Structures are given as structure tokens and as C-alpha cells.
Amino acid sequence: MNFTKSINQFDRARKSLPGGVNSPARAFKSVGGNPVFITRAKGAKMWDIDGNEYIDYVSSWGPMIVGHADERVIKAITEAAQRGTSYGAPTVGETDMAEQIKKMKPSMDIVRMVNSGTEACMSALRLARGYTGRNKFIKFEGCYHGHADSFLIKAGSGALTLGLPDSPGVTQGTAQDTLTARYNDLEGVAKLFEKHGDDIAAIILEPVVGNMGVVIPDKEFLDGLRGLTQKYGTLLIFDEVMTGFRLAKGGAQEHFGITPDITCLGKIIGGGLPVGAYGGPKEIMEKLAPAGPIYQAGTLSGNPLAMAAGLATLKIIDETPGFHKNLEEKSARLEKGFRDNLQQTGHKGVVNRVGSMITLFFTKLNTVKSFDDANQSDTGKFGRYFKAMLEQGIYLPPSQFEAAFIPACITDEEIDKTVEASLKAMEELKS
């Protein structure tokens, strides 16, 4: 493939943008080389400015579950834009969106719209602190909940990709209220409660981790967290920015049968436009201004374009018969292909998948269940694999520590092409 135009544009971008990008995960820094610049996308495919075609497994990092430029979503955005792009006043679309979310996630009696997953998580944490009157919270190593100061302690996603688990600029005063635990280690969490239980406002976690690659929770782990939070009067926050509506209509909480106190959403609920939301029982959510004393606001919260795009996407998911069954079958086909390729080529690796989230870890371990496990992956090998896949028109997340996402519109032929490319890439790694 020829990448000349992308290389030239990246050189240009670095003169005006930090590192040439507006989000670190896009920079290809951990896989080497230059990022490709995308010009358009449709369905499960994207095209770069050099004219190269890709089967896309980034899906804008998760939102494009129904595929790029779906006609129903584009129609909703276009009609909304023709009426105006922002009003700074209430719209019916905001209530429509909240009601659709409530229908699909019954744990969310009241919903507050915001502009990003970061805003949703930071606001949910403030709400938990205000509601409980406590200061500390527990997060898990390798989980990423956005770039708010409190969360950039042993964080995943771009912070892990770039080797920056603790960010300069986060004060010691902020860090001291963040308690960290090992994912899937219930005993470690219990010890934190024994020591700090009276001052722990919340536990926040990705119920399926996507930000150190896909890491799957033990059901006993999630059940145990629910039990501990109930015992100590602590709120359980599920960061379902990735898993919301992707693993099931009701997200991870439906998939695992566990009800959190607060749920954070993003990505899919914007249909590809900037959005976030958080919600929970009326008793908790009505502590927010203007109903209550805990302040949070946003000029573009509930933006009419984002509401239109997100509502159209959620209705497709909700009203398409067998939507998640079809997605599961396609995702299982890809998982089997990756596993077969590892066995055929003799490479050591672990394939973690839940629903349409998947990661192939190049590792000598038999399982990847925590941040420490993920960190033992061979990132150099992944970088070579990534480049070999890119050259064959397969666009994977440019990091060993990010989830790949499978869109519902992908065909069996596209999956089979991906598996064939993966086999060729693994064979090349042996030479």
C-alpha cells in the first residue's frame, strides 16, 4: 500500500497539533510508523486519503455498532441539522433519548446527558461523593474512565499505550483519594474496605475492560463487588461507555445480571457524535442541580444532533430482531479464526472476547485477567502484526492495549478475509 499522502499530512499536523493528533491513541506511537488519515467510511469499511480500503475494527473506538454512515442515522442527523444545531434550551429529543435509555437500561430511572464519557464518569464520581458525603473511591489498575484528574492513576487506554500510567499535572491531593485495586482480585478490594470503608464513596469499573485490551471479569468478582458496596454503603458505578448496548440491549449489567447504582454511558448513544450520559435511581439522581445541591452543567449537553444520531442508533438496536444474536455469531466466527490461526502457526497468544469486543494478546500466559497480565504482552510482536494487517487492508486498533469492535453490518466474507489476513500476518511474524 502507498501511504504518501497520510505521511505528508501527519508531518503537517505535527506543526499544529500536539503529536499531530487530538487523541493519543490515534498516533500509532506504540506500533510504529505514521497514522493513516481517513477520508470516508461506509458500513464496515473505511478509505484513507491515499485511496487505501480497510475493513474497520476500530469503529470510532466503539460507537459505530450499526456501521459507518448508516442511512437511518444520517437521515436523522440531516433532519436535525436543518432545524438548527444547538439552542441552549430544552428539546423534546433529550427526553426521547432519556426514555429510550431507560427502556433498555431499567436501572437508570433518571438520566443526565453530557458531552463525553469523561464527563459522564467525572460527574458520576462527584455525584457519588456528594450523595454519600465521603471522599475516597476505588478504581482498578488498567481501567480508563476518561482523562479527569482522579482517574489518571494506573490508567488504561492511551495512558497505558504510551507508557504514562500516572500523568504529570495530577496533584498529590487528588491522588490520595484514589484507591487502586487489581482487576478480578476481590480479596484486594475487601482489604481496602477494611482499612477505608467509612470513607469510600464509590467503586468505579469497566464491567468488561476494554482499555487494557479486553479483560473479562469473573462473575464472582462482580457479585463480590456488589456485596461489598452494599455492606459498606458505597455506590457501585459501572462505566458502560464501551459495553452499554453493545453486549446486550441492557449492556453489561444485563449480560452479567448485576445492577449498579450509577451507570455511565457514551459512544453508541451518540451514533458517532460527541455524547455522554450517566444515570441511576431517582433517589440518587435528584441530588443533581437543579433538583438538588450537587452542581453539574454543560452548554452543549443534550445537543440536538447527538440526540438524533444516538436515538436512531438505539432504535435500530432495540427494534432489529436478533440484533445481538447476529452480532454474537459474527464475533464468534472472528474469534474462532484468530484461535485457529494461533494454533496453526504455533504463536503463543490469548484471545479475549465478550460479545462484539475482542483482543488478541501476544503473550506466553494462558489467561489475561488483569493489568499485570496484560502488561506481559509482547507489544513489539503486536506492532509487527498490526502493520502486516494494515498492509492487507485490515484496520485494527493501533495498540495491544485497546479493544477491537465488530460492527453488526460486517459480512461473513469480510470476517473470513480478516482471518485469512491474520493467518498471513502470523506466518510473516515467524520469518
Side-chain angles (χ1 to χ4, degrees):
M1 283 187 173
N2 178 25
F3 302 105
T4 301
K5 290 182 180 179
S6 282
I7 291 169
N8 290 339
Q9 285 299 324
F10 190 48
D11 288 340
R12 177 186 170 212
R14 281 184 290 189
K15 297 173 183 177
S16 300
L17 304 172
V21 294
N22 280 310
S23 186
R26 303 174 189 171
F28 281 33
K29 191 168 183 179
S30 72
V31 294
N34 297 300
V36 295
F37 280 61
I38 302 302
T39 185
R40 65 186 178 94
K42 180 68 177 175
K45 292 183 176 179
M46 300 194 303
W47 289 263
D48 69 20
I49 58 177
D50 287 285
N52 300 312
E53 178 182 293
Y54 306 95
I55 300 172
D56 175 31
Y57 290 97
V58 174
S59 286
S60 189
W61 303 97
M64 315 313 298
I65 190 170
V66 301
H68 293 285
D70 181 278
E71 290 83 356
R72 295 160 290 185
V73 177
I74 297 301
K75 181 175 183 287
I77 295 171
T78 301
E79 291 176 352
Q82 288 172 342
R83 297 190 296 267
T85 58
S86 183
Y87 313 120
T91 67
V92 173
E94 296 166 73
T95 308
D96 290 341
M97 171 63 89
E99 289 178 348
Q100 183 67 36
I101 291 172
K102 289 169 59 178
K103 177 186 176 185
M104 298 171 77
K105 283 187 176 289
S107 70
M108 301 175 72
D109 292 338
I110 304 289
V111 180
R112 168 60 60 88
M113 303 303 306
V114 290
N115 296 295
S116 68
T118 293
E119 276 191 49
C121 291
M122 63 183 278
S123 302
L125 179 58
R126 181 186 304 157
L127 174 60
R129 284 169 163 161
Y131 179 78
T132 62
R134 301 173 180 181
N135 296 318
K136 297 185 184 299
F137 76 102
I138 297 173
K139 74 173 293 289
F140 292 91
E141 297 170 356
C143 285
Y144 179 75
H145 307 291
H147 60 264
D149 285 1
S150 297
F151 299 130
L152 289 180
I153 313 295
K154 295 190 177 180
S157 189
L160 177 55
T161 295
L162 298 177
L164 300 171
D166 296 295
S167 177
V170 177
T171 67
Q172 184 61 41
T174 298
Q176 71 183 7
D177 286 331
T178 303
L179 306 174
T180 59
R182 179 185 169 98
Y183 201 81
N184 276 321
D185 179 5
L186 185 61
E187 183 179 350
V189 178
K191 288 180 179 178
L192 288 176
F193 270 103
E194 289 171 7
K195 185 175 181 180
H196 303 285
D198 291 340
D199 198 28
I200 298 176
I203 293 177
I204 186 169
L205 79 157
E206 296 175 76
V208 172
V209 186
N211 286 298
M212 52 182 163
V214 173
V215 174
I216 305 167
D218 297 328
K219 181 63 163 57
E220 295 76 14
F221 173 66
L222 293 182
D223 286 337
L225 294 182
R226 181 70 282 186
L228 283 169
T229 53
Q230 290 172 338
K231 176 181 178 180
Y232 285 91
T234 296
L235 299 188
L236 180 63
I237 304 174
F238 271 11
D239 175 354
E240 291 223 51
V241 169
M242 284 188 182
T243 59
F245 312 107
R246 180 167 283 281
L247 301 190
K249 283 187 181 182
Q253 53 199 265
E254 176 185 328
H255 182 83
F256 292 108
I258 295 175
T259 302
D261 297 298
I262 302 175
T263 301
C264 300
L265 300 173
K267 298 188 185 295
I268 286 173
I269 62 166
L273 297 185
V275 77
Y278 60 108
K282 181 177 180 180
E283 175 190 358
I284 296 174
M285 294 301 295
E286 290 202 337
K287 298 296 183 182
L288 284 173
I294 301 170
Y295 195 75
Q296 181 269 311
T299 298
L300 294 176
S301 296
N303 175 268
L305 300 189
M307 297 298 96
L311 185 60
T313 301
L314 291 188
K315 284 188 173 181
I316 292 169
I317 295 171
D318 189 26
E319 297 171 5
T320 301
F323 182 90
H324 286 96
K325 180 177 182 292
N326 171 61
L327 195 51
E328 172 65 24
E329 290 171 354
K330 291 177 177 179
S331 302
R333 186 185 188 100
L334 182 64
E335 177 189 7
K336 182 179 185 301
F338 284 163
R339 291 186 186 278
D340 289 347
N341 288 349
L342 286 171
Q343 185 174 12
Q344 184 172 335
T345 59
H347 286 291
K348 294 290 186 180
V350 171
V351 181
N352 276 358
R353 181 183 70 85
V354 179
S356 55
M357 297 171 61
I358 189 169
T359 298
L360 165 58
F361 293 95
F362 286 102
T363 178
K364 295 179 181 179
L365 300 178
N366 294 321
T367 60
V368 177
K369 300 181 67 175
S370 69
F371 178 78
D372 290 339
D373 292 347
N375 260 328
Q376 294 187 50
S377 301
D378 188 337
T379 56
K381 179 180 279 191
F382 178 85
R384 296 190 299 275
Y385 175 77
F386 171 86
K387 291 176 184 176
M389 293 290 275
L390 191 72
E391 286 283 353
Q392 297 179 80
I394 310 298
Y395 192 84
L396 299 174
S399 169
Q400 174 69 97
F401 306 117
E402 296 284 1
F405 299 94
I406 300 153
C409 63
I410 200 167
T411 65
D412 287 346
E413 290 75 19
E414 288 167 334
I415 291 173
D416 291 345
K417 181 180 177 180
T418 303
V419 173
E420 291 170 8
S422 175
L423 178 60
K424 183 178 178 182
M426 290 186 190
E427 292 286 3
E428 290 180 8
L429 291 179
K430 294 168 67 177
S431 60

